[in-house]
Amino acid sequence: MAVLIDPPLWPKHGTVWSHLVSDASIEELIAFAERNGIPARGFDLDHYDVPVERYDELVAAGAEPVPARELVRRLRASGLRVTPRERRGSLGR
């Protein structure tokens, strides 16, 4: 059971972003995010988007740094991965 974070590689809104996930449960992920002051608006069904300036702080708080591919592999293996199709469906599209 771990909270994982990938490198800040994803550009948007004038910065780059990491993804924060749990390989155990959404509850674990949400609890970690709340303890570390990550706003709920950063939650996207199976992960949080976090800006580059929070990366080192979250690693120090216990998030395990992993490559992006490893993060996705472990999220899929956990059964918690939300597919793009499911993501679109959750938006009512």
Side-chain angles (χ1 to χ4, degrees):
M1 292 187 209
V3 174
L4 313 170
I5 191 166
D6 64 2
L9 300 171
W10 315 102
K12 194 157 192 168
H13 305 296
T15 191
V16 289
W17 300 79
S18 292
H19 298 116
L20 188 71
V21 306
S22 169
D23 67 357
S25 72
I26 295 300
E27 293 77 18
E28 176 186 47
L29 176 61
I30 291 170
F32 182 89
E34 288 175 351
R35 280 193 311 274
N36 289 283
I38 299 171
R41 70 179 177 272
F43 185 65
D44 190 13
L45 302 177
D46 61 1
H47 71 277
Y48 281 87
D49 294 317
V50 293
V52 62
E53 59 268 12
R54 299 290 312 270
Y55 181 85
D56 290 336
E57 171 191 344
L58 295 170
V59 170
E64 179 184 338
V66 295
R69 287 184 183 206
E70 176 72 7
L71 181 137
V72 172
R73 185 191 69 73
R74 288 176 60 181
L75 185 59
R76 283 183 183 142
S78 74
L80 298 173
R81 174 75 168 143
V82 175
T83 67
R85 183 178 195 171
E86 292 167 332
R87 196 172 307 284
R88 285 189 303 272
S90 75
L91 299 173
R93 294 184 195 157

Coordinates of all heavy atoms in Angstrom, one line a residue:
M1 N 0.8 -1.2 0.0 CA 0.0 0.0 0.0 C 0.9 1.2 0.0 O 1.7 1.4 0.9 CB -0.9 0.0 1.2 CG -1.9 -1.0 1.3 SD -3.0 -0.7 2.7 CE -3.5 -2.4 3.0
A2 N 0.7 2.1 -1.0 CA 1.5 3.3 -1.1 C 0.8 4.4 -1.8 O -0.1 4.1 -2.7 CB 2.8 2.9 -1.9
V3 N 1.1 5.6 -1.5 CA 0.7 6.7 -2.3 C 1.9 7.0 -3.2 O 3.1 7.1 -2.7 CB 0.4 7.9 -1.4 CG1 0.2 9.2 -2.2 CG2 -0.8 7.6 -0.5
L4 N 1.7 7.1 -4.5 CA 2.7 7.3 -5.5 C 2.6 8.7 -6.1 O 1.5 9.2 -6.2 CB 2.5 6.2 -6.6 CG 2.3 4.8 -6.1 CD1 1.9 3.9 -7.2 CD2 3.5 4.3 -5.4
I5 N 3.7 9.2 -6.6 CA 3.8 10.4 -7.3 C 4.7 10.3 -8.5 O 5.8 9.7 -8.4 CB 4.1 11.6 -6.4 CG1 3.9 13.0 -7.1 CG2 5.5 11.5 -5.9 CD1 3.9 14.1 -6.2
D6 N 4.3 10.7 -9.7 CA 5.2 10.7 -10.8 C 5.9 12.1 -11.0 O 5.5 13.0 -10.3 CB 4.4 10.3 -12.1 CG 3.3 11.2 -12.6 OD1 3.1 12.3 -12.0 OD2 2.7 10.9 -13.6
P7 N 6.9 12.1 -11.8 CA 7.6 13.4 -12.0 C 6.7 14.5 -12.6 O 5.8 14.2 -13.3 CB 8.7 13.0 -13.0 CG 8.8 11.6 -13.0 CD 7.5 11.0 -12.6
P8 N 7.0 15.7 -12.2 CA 6.2 16.8 -12.8 C 6.6 17.0 -14.3 O 7.6 17.6 -14.6 CB 6.6 18.0 -11.9 CG 7.9 17.7 -11.3 CD 7.9 16.2 -11.2
L9 N 5.8 16.4 -15.1 CA 6.0 16.4 -16.6 C 4.9 17.0 -17.4 O 5.0 17.2 -18.6 CB 6.2 15.0 -17.1 CG 7.4 14.2 -16.5 CD1 7.3 12.7 -16.9 CD2 8.7 14.8 -16.9
W10 N 3.7 17.2 -16.8 CA 2.5 17.5 -17.6 C 2.2 19.0 -17.6 O 1.8 19.5 -16.5 CB 1.4 16.6 -17.0 CG 1.8 15.2 -16.7 CD1 2.2 14.7 -15.5 CD2 2.0 14.2 -17.7 NE1 2.6 13.4 -15.7 CE2 2.5 13.1 -17.0 CE3 1.8 14.2 -19.1 CZ2 2.8 11.9 -17.7 CZ3 2.1 13.0 -19.7 CH2 2.6 11.9 -19.0
P11 N 2.4 19.7 -18.7 CA 2.2 21.1 -18.7 C 0.8 21.5 -18.8 O 0.0 20.9 -19.5 CB 3.0 21.5 -20.0 CG 3.0 20.4 -20.9 CD 3.0 19.1 -19.9
K12 N 0.4 22.6 -18.0 CA -0.9 23.2 -18.1 C -1.0 24.4 -17.2 O -0.4 24.3 -16.1 CB -2.0 22.1 -17.8 CG -3.4 22.6 -18.2 CD -4.3 21.4 -18.3 CE -5.6 21.9 -19.0 NZ -6.5 20.9 -19.4
H13 N -1.7 25.4 -17.6 CA -1.9 26.6 -16.8 C -0.6 27.2 -16.3 O -0.4 27.7 -15.2 CB -2.7 26.2 -15.5 CG -4.1 25.6 -15.8 ND1 -5.0 26.2 -16.5 CD2 -4.5 24.4 -15.5 CE1 -6.1 25.4 -16.7 NE2 -5.8 24.3 -16.1
G14 N 0.4 27.2 -17.2 CA 1.7 27.9 -16.9 C 2.6 27.2 -16.0 O 3.5 27.8 -15.5
T15 N 2.4 26.0 -15.7 CA 3.3 25.2 -14.8 C 3.3 23.7 -15.3 O 2.7 23.4 -16.3 CB 2.9 25.3 -13.3 OG1 3.9 24.7 -12.5 CG2 1.5 24.6 -13.0
V16 N 4.0 22.9 -14.6 CA 3.9 21.4 -14.9 C 3.4 20.7 -13.7 O 3.5 21.2 -12.5 CB 5.3 20.9 -15.3 CG1 5.7 21.4 -16.7 CG2 6.4 21.2 -14.3
W17 N 2.8 19.6 -13.9 CA 2.0 18.9 -12.9 C 2.5 17.4 -12.7 O 3.0 16.8 -13.7 CB 0.6 18.9 -13.3 CG 0.0 20.3 -13.4 CD1 0.2 21.1 -14.4 CD2 -0.7 21.0 -12.4 NE1 -0.5 22.3 -14.2 CE2 -1.0 22.2 -12.9 CE3 -1.2 20.7 -11.1 CZ2 -1.7 23.2 -12.2 CZ3 -1.9 21.6 -10.4 CH2 -2.2 22.9 -11.0
S18 N 2.3 16.9 -11.5 CA 2.5 15.5 -11.2 C 1.1 14.9 -10.9 O 0.2 15.6 -10.7 CB 3.3 15.4 -9.9 OG 4.7 15.8 -10.1
H19 N 1.1 13.6 -10.9 CA -0.1 12.9 -10.6 C 0.2 12.2 -9.2 O 1.2 11.5 -9.1 CB -0.5 11.8 -11.6 CG -0.8 12.5 -12.9 ND1 -0.1 12.2 -14.0 CD2 -1.8 13.3 -13.3 CE1 -0.6 12.9 -15.1 NE2 -1.6 13.6 -14.6
L20 N -0.8 12.2 -8.3 CA -0.7 11.6 -7.0 C -1.8 10.5 -7.0 O -2.9 10.8 -7.2 CB -0.9 12.6 -5.9 CG -0.6 12.2 -4.5 CD1 0.9 12.0 -4.3 CD2 -1.2 13.2 -3.5
V21 N -1.4 9.2 -6.7 CA -2.3 8.1 -6.7 C -2.1 7.2 -5.5 O -1.0 7.3 -4.9 CB -2.3 7.3 -8.0 CG1 -2.5 8.1 -9.3 CG2 -1.0 6.5 -8.1
S22 N -3.0 6.4 -5.3 CA -2.8 5.3 -4.3 C -2.9 4.0 -5.0 O -3.8 3.8 -5.9 CB -3.9 5.3 -3.2 OG -3.9 4.1 -2.4
D23 N -2.1 3.0 -4.6 CA -2.2 1.7 -5.2 C -3.0 0.8 -4.3 O -3.1 -0.4 -4.5 CB -0.9 1.1 -5.6 CG 0.0 0.8 -4.4 OD1 -0.4 1.1 -3.2 OD2 1.1 0.2 -4.6
A24 N -3.7 1.4 -3.3 CA -4.5 0.6 -2.4 C -6.0 1.0 -2.4 O -6.9 0.1 -2.5 CB -3.9 0.7 -1.0
S25 N -6.2 2.3 -2.2 CA -7.6 2.7 -2.1 C -7.7 4.2 -2.3 O -6.8 5.0 -2.1 CB -8.2 2.4 -0.7 OG -7.7 3.2 0.3
I26 N -8.9 4.6 -2.8 CA -9.2 6.0 -3.0 C -9.2 6.7 -1.6 O -8.8 7.9 -1.5 CB -10.5 6.3 -3.8 CG1 -10.4 5.7 -5.2 CG2 -10.9 7.7 -3.8 CD1 -9.3 6.4 -6.0
E27 N -9.7 6.0 -0.6 CA -9.7 6.6 0.7 C -8.3 6.9 1.2 O -8.1 8.0 1.9 CB -10.4 5.6 1.7 CG -11.9 5.4 1.4 CD -12.2 4.5 0.2 OE1 -11.3 3.7 -0.2 OE2 -13.3 4.5 -0.3
E28 N -7.4 6.0 1.0 CA -6.0 6.3 1.4 C -5.5 7.6 0.7 O -4.8 8.4 1.3 CB -5.1 5.1 1.0 CG -3.6 5.4 1.3 CD -2.7 4.3 0.8 OE1 -2.8 3.8 -0.3 OE2 -1.8 3.9 1.6
L29 N -5.8 7.7 -0.6 CA -5.3 8.8 -1.4 C -5.9 10.1 -0.9 O -5.2 11.1 -0.7 CB -5.7 8.6 -2.9 CG -5.5 9.8 -3.8 CD1 -4.0 10.1 -3.9 CD2 -6.0 9.5 -5.2
I30 N -7.2 10.1 -0.6 CA -7.9 11.3 -0.1 C -7.4 11.7 1.2 O -7.1 12.9 1.5 CB -9.4 11.1 -0.1 CG1 -9.9 11.1 -1.6 CG2 -10.1 12.2 0.6 CD1 -11.4 10.6 -1.7
A31 N -7.2 10.7 2.1 CA -6.6 11.0 3.4 C -5.3 11.6 3.3 O -4.9 12.6 4.0 CB -6.6 9.7 4.3
F32 N -4.4 11.1 2.5 CA -3.1 11.7 2.3 C -3.2 13.1 1.8 O -2.5 14.0 2.3 CB -2.2 10.8 1.3 CG -0.8 11.3 1.1 CD1 0.2 10.9 1.9 CD2 -0.5 12.2 0.1 CE1 1.5 11.3 1.7 CE2 0.8 12.6 -0.1 CZ 1.8 12.2 0.7
A33 N -4.0 13.3 0.8 CA -4.2 14.7 0.2 C -4.7 15.6 1.3 O -4.2 16.8 1.4 CB -5.2 14.6 -0.9
E34 N -5.7 15.2 2.1 CA -6.2 16.1 3.1 C -5.1 16.5 4.2 O -5.0 17.6 4.6 CB -7.4 15.5 3.8 CG -8.6 15.5 2.9 CD -9.8 14.8 3.5 OE1 -9.7 14.1 4.6 OE2 -10.9 14.9 2.9
R35 N -4.3 15.5 4.6 CA -3.2 15.7 5.6 C -2.2 16.7 5.0 O -1.5 17.4 5.8 CB -2.5 14.4 5.9 CG -3.3 13.5 6.9 CD -2.4 12.4 7.4 NE -1.6 11.6 6.4 CZ -2.1 10.6 5.8 NH1 -3.4 10.2 6.0 NH2 -1.4 9.9 4.9
N36 N -2.1 16.7 3.7 CA -1.0 17.6 3.1 C -1.6 18.8 2.4 O -0.9 19.5 1.7 CB -0.2 16.7 2.1 CG 0.7 15.8 2.9 OD1 1.7 16.2 3.5 ND2 0.2 14.5 3.0
G37 N -2.9 19.1 2.7 CA -3.4 20.4 2.2 C -3.6 20.5 0.7 O -3.6 21.6 0.2
I38 N -3.8 19.4 0.1 CA -4.1 19.4 -1.4 C -5.6 19.7 -1.6 O -6.4 19.0 -1.0 CB -3.7 18.1 -2.0 CG1 -2.2 17.8 -1.8 CG2 -4.1 18.1 -3.5 CD1 -1.7 16.4 -2.3
P39 N -5.9 20.7 -2.3 CA -7.3 21.1 -2.5 C -8.1 20.0 -3.2 O -7.6 19.3 -4.1 CB -7.3 22.3 -3.3 CG -5.9 22.7 -3.5 CD -5.0 21.6 -3.0
A40 N -9.3 19.8 -2.8 CA -10.2 18.8 -3.4 C -10.4 19.1 -4.9 O -10.6 18.1 -5.6 CB -11.6 18.9 -2.7
R41 N -10.3 20.3 -5.3 CA -10.5 20.6 -6.8 C -9.4 19.9 -7.6 O -9.5 19.8 -8.8 CB -10.5 22.1 -7.0 CG -9.1 22.8 -6.8 CD -9.2 24.3 -7.1 NE -7.9 24.9 -6.8 CZ -7.5 25.4 -5.7 NH1 -8.3 25.4 -4.6 NH2 -6.3 26.0 -5.5
G42 N -8.3 19.5 -7.0 CA -7.2 18.8 -7.7 C -7.5 17.3 -8.0 O -6.8 16.6 -8.7
F43 N -8.6 16.8 -7.4 CA -9.0 15.4 -7.5 C -9.7 15.1 -8.8 O -10.6 15.8 -9.2 CB -9.9 15.0 -6.4 CG -10.2 13.5 -6.3 CD1 -9.2 12.6 -6.1 CD2 -11.5 13.1 -6.6 CE1 -9.5 11.2 -6.1 CE2 -11.8 11.7 -6.5 CZ -10.8 10.8 -6.3
D44 N -9.2 14.1 -9.6 CA -9.8 13.7 -10.9 C -10.1 12.2 -10.9 O -9.5 11.5 -11.7 CB -8.8 14.1 -12.0 CG -9.4 14.0 -13.4 OD1 -10.6 13.9 -13.5 OD2 -8.6 14.1 -14.3
L45 N -11.0 11.8 -10.1 CA -11.6 10.4 -10.0 C -10.6 9.3 -9.5 O -11.1 8.5 -8.8 CB -12.2 10.0 -11.4 CG -13.3 11.0 -11.9 CD1 -13.7 10.5 -13.3 CD2 -14.4 11.0 -11.0
D46 N -9.4 9.3 -10.0 CA -8.5 8.3 -9.5 C -7.1 8.9 -9.2 O -6.2 8.1 -8.8 CB -8.3 7.2 -10.5 CG -7.7 7.6 -11.9 OD1 -7.4 8.8 -12.0 OD2 -7.6 6.8 -12.8
H47 N -7.0 10.2 -9.2 CA -5.7 10.8 -8.9 C -5.9 12.3 -8.6 O -7.0 12.9 -8.8 CB -4.7 10.7 -10.1 CG -5.1 11.6 -11.3 ND1 -6.0 11.2 -12.2 CD2 -4.7 12.8 -11.6 CE1 -6.2 12.2 -13.1 NE2 -5.4 13.2 -12.8
Y48 N -4.9 12.9 -8.0 CA -4.8 14.3 -7.8 C -3.8 14.9 -8.7 O -2.7 14.3 -8.9 CB -4.4 14.7 -6.4 CG -5.5 14.6 -5.3 CD1 -5.7 13.4 -4.7 CD2 -6.3 15.7 -5.0 CE1 -6.7 13.3 -3.8 CE2 -7.3 15.6 -4.1 CZ -7.5 14.4 -3.4 OH -8.5 14.3 -2.5
D49 N -4.0 16.0 -9.3 CA -3.0 16.8 -10.1 C -2.4 17.7 -9.1 O -3.1 18.5 -8.3 CB -3.7 17.6 -11.2 CG -4.3 16.7 -12.3 OD1 -3.7 15.7 -12.6 OD2 -5.4 17.0 -12.7
V50 N -1.1 17.7 -9.0 CA -0.3 18.6 -8.1 C 0.8 19.3 -8.8 O 1.5 18.7 -9.6 CB 0.2 17.8 -6.8 CG1 -0.9 17.3 -6.0 CG2 1.1 16.7 -7.2
P51 N 0.9 20.6 -8.5 CA 1.9 21.4 -9.3 C 3.3 21.1 -8.8 O 3.6 20.6 -7.7 CB 1.5 22.8 -8.9 CG 0.8 22.8 -7.6 CD 0.1 21.4 -7.6
V52 N 4.3 21.4 -9.7 CA 5.7 21.1 -9.5 C 6.2 21.6 -8.1 O 7.0 20.9 -7.5 CB 6.6 21.6 -10.6 CG1 6.5 23.1 -10.7 CG2 8.0 21.2 -10.5
E53 N 5.7 22.7 -7.7 CA 6.2 23.3 -6.4 C 5.8 22.5 -5.2 O 6.4 22.7 -4.1 CB 5.8 24.8 -6.3 CG 4.4 25.0 -6.3 CD 3.8 25.4 -7.6 OE1 4.5 25.2 -8.7 OE2 2.6 25.8 -7.7
R54 N 4.9 21.5 -5.3 CA 4.5 20.7 -4.2 C 5.2 19.3 -4.2 O 5.1 18.6 -3.2 CB 3.0 20.4 -4.2 CG 2.1 21.6 -4.1 CD 2.1 22.3 -2.8 NE 1.9 21.4 -1.6 CZ 0.7 21.1 -1.1 NH1 -0.4 21.5 -1.6 NH2 0.7 20.3 0.0
Y55 N 5.9 19.0 -5.3 CA 6.5 17.7 -5.5 C 7.4 17.3 -4.3 O 7.2 16.2 -3.7 CB 7.3 17.6 -6.8 CG 7.9 16.3 -7.1 CD1 7.1 15.3 -7.7 CD2 9.2 16.0 -6.7 CE1 7.7 14.0 -7.9 CE2 9.7 14.7 -7.0 CZ 9.0 13.7 -7.6 OH 9.5 12.5 -7.8
D56 N 8.4 18.0 -4.0 CA 9.4 17.7 -3.0 C 8.7 17.5 -1.6 O 9.0 16.6 -0.8 CB 10.5 18.7 -2.9 CG 11.5 18.6 -4.1 OD1 11.5 17.5 -4.8 OD2 12.1 19.6 -4.4
E57 N 7.8 18.4 -1.3 CA 7.1 18.4 -0.1 C 6.3 17.1 0.1 O 6.2 16.5 1.1 CB 6.1 19.6 0.0 CG 5.2 19.6 1.1 CD 4.1 20.7 0.9 OE1 4.3 21.7 0.1 OE2 3.1 20.6 1.6
L58 N 5.6 16.7 -1.0 CA 4.8 15.5 -1.0 C 5.7 14.2 -0.8 O 5.3 13.3 -0.1 CB 3.9 15.4 -2.2 CG 2.8 16.5 -2.2 CD1 2.1 16.5 -3.5 CD2 1.9 16.4 -1.0
V59 N 6.8 14.2 -1.5 CA 7.8 13.1 -1.3 C 8.2 13.0 0.1 O 8.3 12.0 0.7 CB 8.9 13.2 -2.3 CG1 10.0 12.2 -2.0 CG2 8.4 13.0 -3.8
A60 N 8.6 14.2 0.7 CA 9.0 14.2 2.1 C 7.9 13.8 3.0 O 8.2 13.2 4.1 CB 9.5 15.6 2.5
A61 N 6.6 14.0 2.6 CA 5.5 13.5 3.5 C 5.2 12.0 3.3 O 4.3 11.5 4.0 CB 4.3 14.4 3.1
G62 N 5.9 11.4 2.4 CA 5.7 9.9 2.3 C 5.3 9.4 0.9 O 5.1 8.2 0.7
A63 N 5.0 10.3 -0.1 CA 4.6 9.8 -1.4 C 5.9 9.2 -2.0 O 7.0 9.7 -2.0 CB 4.1 11.0 -2.3
E64 N 5.7 8.1 -2.7 CA 6.8 7.3 -3.3 C 7.0 7.8 -4.7 O 6.1 7.6 -5.5 CB 6.4 5.8 -3.3 CG 7.5 5.0 -3.9 CD 7.1 3.5 -4.0 OE1 6.2 3.1 -3.2 OE2 7.6 2.8 -4.9
P65 N 8.1 8.4 -5.0 CA 8.3 8.8 -6.4 C 8.6 7.6 -7.3 O 9.4 6.7 -7.0 CB 9.6 9.7 -6.3 CG 10.2 9.4 -5.0 CD 9.2 8.7 -4.1
V66 N 7.8 7.6 -8.4 CA 7.9 6.5 -9.4 C 7.8 7.2 -10.8 O 7.2 8.2 -11.0 CB 6.9 5.5 -9.3 CG1 7.0 4.7 -7.9 CG2 5.5 6.0 -9.4
P67 N 8.4 6.5 -11.8 CA 8.2 7.0 -13.2 C 6.8 7.0 -13.6 O 6.0 6.2 -13.0 CB 9.0 6.0 -14.0 CG 10.0 5.4 -13.1 CD 9.3 5.4 -11.8
A68 N 6.4 7.8 -14.5 CA 5.0 7.9 -15.0 C 4.4 6.5 -15.4 O 3.3 6.2 -15.0 CB 4.8 8.9 -16.1
R69 N 5.2 5.8 -16.1 CA 4.7 4.5 -16.6 C 4.4 3.5 -15.4 O 3.5 2.7 -15.4 CB 5.6 3.8 -17.6 CG 5.6 4.5 -18.9 CD 6.5 3.8 -19.9 NE 6.4 4.6 -21.2 CZ 6.7 4.1 -22.3 NH1 7.0 2.8 -22.4 NH2 6.6 4.8 -23.4
E70 N 5.3 3.6 -14.4 CA 5.2 2.7 -13.2 C 3.9 3.1 -12.5 O 3.2 2.3 -12.0 CB 6.4 2.8 -12.3 CG 6.3 2.1 -11.0 CD 6.4 0.6 -11.2 OE1 6.6 0.1 -12.3 OE2 6.2 -0.1 -10.2
L71 N 3.7 4.4 -12.4 CA 2.5 4.9 -11.7 C 1.2 4.4 -12.3 O 0.3 3.8 -11.7 CB 2.5 6.5 -11.7 CG 1.3 7.1 -10.9 CD1 1.8 8.3 -10.1 CD2 0.3 7.6 -11.9
V72 N 1.1 4.5 -13.6 CA 0.0 4.0 -14.4 C -0.1 2.4 -14.2 O -1.2 1.9 -14.0 CB 0.0 4.4 -15.9 CG1 -1.1 3.7 -16.6 CG2 -0.1 5.9 -16.0
R73 N 1.0 1.7 -14.3 CA 1.0 0.3 -14.2 C 0.4 -0.1 -12.8 O -0.4 -1.0 -12.7 CB 2.4 -0.3 -14.4 CG 2.4 -1.8 -14.4 CD 3.8 -2.4 -14.3 NE 4.4 -2.2 -13.0 CZ 4.1 -2.8 -11.9 NH1 3.1 -3.7 -11.9 NH2 4.7 -2.6 -10.7
R74 N 0.9 0.5 -11.8 CA 0.5 0.1 -10.4 C -1.0 0.6 -10.2 O -1.7 -0.1 -9.5 CB 1.4 0.7 -9.4 CG 2.7 -0.1 -9.5 CD 3.8 0.4 -8.6 NE 3.5 0.4 -7.2 CZ 4.4 0.8 -6.2 NH1 5.6 1.2 -6.6 NH2 4.0 0.8 -5.0
L75 N -1.4 1.7 -10.8 CA -2.8 2.1 -10.6 C -3.7 1.1 -11.3 O -4.8 0.7 -10.8 CB -3.0 3.5 -11.2 CG -4.3 4.2 -11.0 CD1 -4.7 4.3 -9.6 CD2 -4.4 5.5 -11.7
R76 N -3.4 0.7 -12.5 CA -4.2 -0.3 -13.2 C -4.2 -1.6 -12.4 O -5.3 -2.2 -12.3 CB -3.6 -0.6 -14.6 CG -3.9 0.4 -15.6 CD -3.3 0.0 -17.0 NE -3.6 1.1 -18.0 CZ -2.7 1.4 -18.9 NH1 -1.6 0.8 -19.0 NH2 -3.0 2.4 -19.7
A77 N -3.1 -2.1 -11.9 CA -3.0 -3.3 -11.2 C -3.9 -3.3 -9.9 O -4.4 -4.3 -9.5 CB -1.6 -3.7 -10.8
S78 N -4.0 -2.1 -9.4 CA -4.8 -2.0 -8.1 C -6.3 -2.0 -8.4 O -7.1 -2.2 -7.5 CB -4.6 -0.6 -7.5 OG -5.1 0.5 -8.2
G79 N -6.7 -1.9 -9.7 CA -8.1 -1.9 -10.1 C -8.8 -0.5 -9.9 O -10.0 -0.3 -10.1
L80 N -8.0 0.5 -9.5 CA -8.5 1.9 -9.3 C -8.5 2.8 -10.5 O -9.0 3.9 -10.4 CB -7.8 2.5 -8.1 CG -7.9 1.8 -6.8 CD1 -6.9 2.4 -5.7 CD2 -9.3 1.8 -6.3
R81 N -7.8 2.4 -11.5 CA -7.6 3.2 -12.7 C -9.0 3.5 -13.3 O -9.8 2.6 -13.6 CB -6.7 2.5 -13.7 CG -6.6 3.3 -15.1 CD -5.7 4.5 -14.9 NE -5.4 5.0 -16.2 CZ -5.3 6.3 -16.5 NH1 -5.4 7.2 -15.6 NH2 -4.9 6.7 -17.7
V82 N -9.3 4.8 -13.6 CA -10.4 5.2 -14.3 C -10.0 5.4 -15.8 O -9.1 6.2 -16.1 CB -11.0 6.5 -13.8 CG1 -12.2 7.1 -14.6 CG2 -11.5 6.3 -12.3
T83 N -10.7 4.7 -16.7 CA -10.3 4.8 -18.1 C -10.8 6.1 -18.7 O -11.7 6.8 -18.2 CB -10.9 3.7 -18.9 OG1 -12.3 3.8 -18.9 CG2 -10.5 2.3 -18.4
P84 N -10.2 6.5 -19.8 CA -10.7 7.8 -20.5 C -12.2 7.7 -20.8 O -12.9 8.7 -20.6 CB -9.9 7.9 -21.8 CG -8.6 7.2 -21.4 CD -9.0 6.0 -20.5
R85 N -12.7 6.5 -21.2 CA -14.1 6.4 -21.5 C -14.9 6.6 -20.2 O -16.0 7.3 -20.3 CB -14.3 5.0 -22.1 CG -15.8 4.8 -22.5 CD -15.9 3.4 -23.1 NE -17.2 3.3 -23.8 CZ -17.6 2.4 -24.5 NH1 -16.8 1.3 -24.7 NH2 -18.7 2.4 -25.1
E86 N -14.5 6.0 -19.1 CA -15.2 6.2 -17.9 C -15.2 7.6 -17.4 O -16.1 8.2 -16.9 CB -14.6 5.3 -16.8 CG -14.8 3.8 -17.0 CD -14.0 2.9 -16.1 OE1 -12.9 3.4 -15.7 OE2 -14.4 1.8 -15.8
R87 N -14.0 8.3 -17.6 CA -13.8 9.7 -17.2 C -14.8 10.5 -18.0 O -15.5 11.4 -17.5 CB -12.4 10.1 -17.5 CG -12.0 11.4 -16.8 CD -10.5 11.6 -17.0 NE -9.6 10.6 -16.6 CZ -9.4 10.2 -15.3 NH1 -9.9 11.0 -14.3 NH2 -8.6 9.2 -15.0
R88 N -14.9 10.3 -19.3 CA -15.9 11.1 -20.1 C -17.3 10.8 -19.7 O -18.1 11.8 -19.6 CB -15.8 10.7 -21.6 CG -14.5 11.3 -22.3 CD -14.6 11.1 -23.8 NE -14.7 9.7 -24.2 CZ -13.6 8.9 -24.4 NH1 -12.4 9.3 -24.2 NH2 -13.8 7.6 -24.7
G89 N -17.7 9.6 -19.3 CA -19.0 9.2 -18.9 C -19.3 9.9 -17.6 O -20.5 10.3 -17.3
S90 N -18.3 10.1 -16.7 CA -18.6 10.7 -15.4 C -18.9 12.2 -15.6 O -19.5 12.8 -14.7 CB -17.4 10.5 -14.5 OG -16.3 11.4 -14.8
L91 N -18.5 12.8 -16.7 CA -18.8 14.2 -17.0 C -20.1 14.4 -17.7 O -20.5 15.5 -18.0 CB -17.6 14.8 -17.8 CG -16.3 14.8 -17.2 CD1 -15.2 15.2 -18.2 CD2 -16.2 15.6 -15.9
G92 N -20.8 13.3 -17.9 CA -22.2 13.4 -18.5 C -22.1 13.6 -20.0 O -23.0 14.1 -20.6
R93 N -21.0 13.3 -20.6 CA -20.9 13.4 -22.1 C -21.2 12.2 -22.8 O -21.1 11.1 -22.4 CB -19.4 13.9 -22.4 CG -19.1 15.2 -21.8 CD -17.7 15.6 -22.3 NE -17.4 16.8 -21.5 CZ -16.1 17.1 -21.3 NH1 -15.1 16.5 -21.8 NH2 -15.8 18.1 -20.5

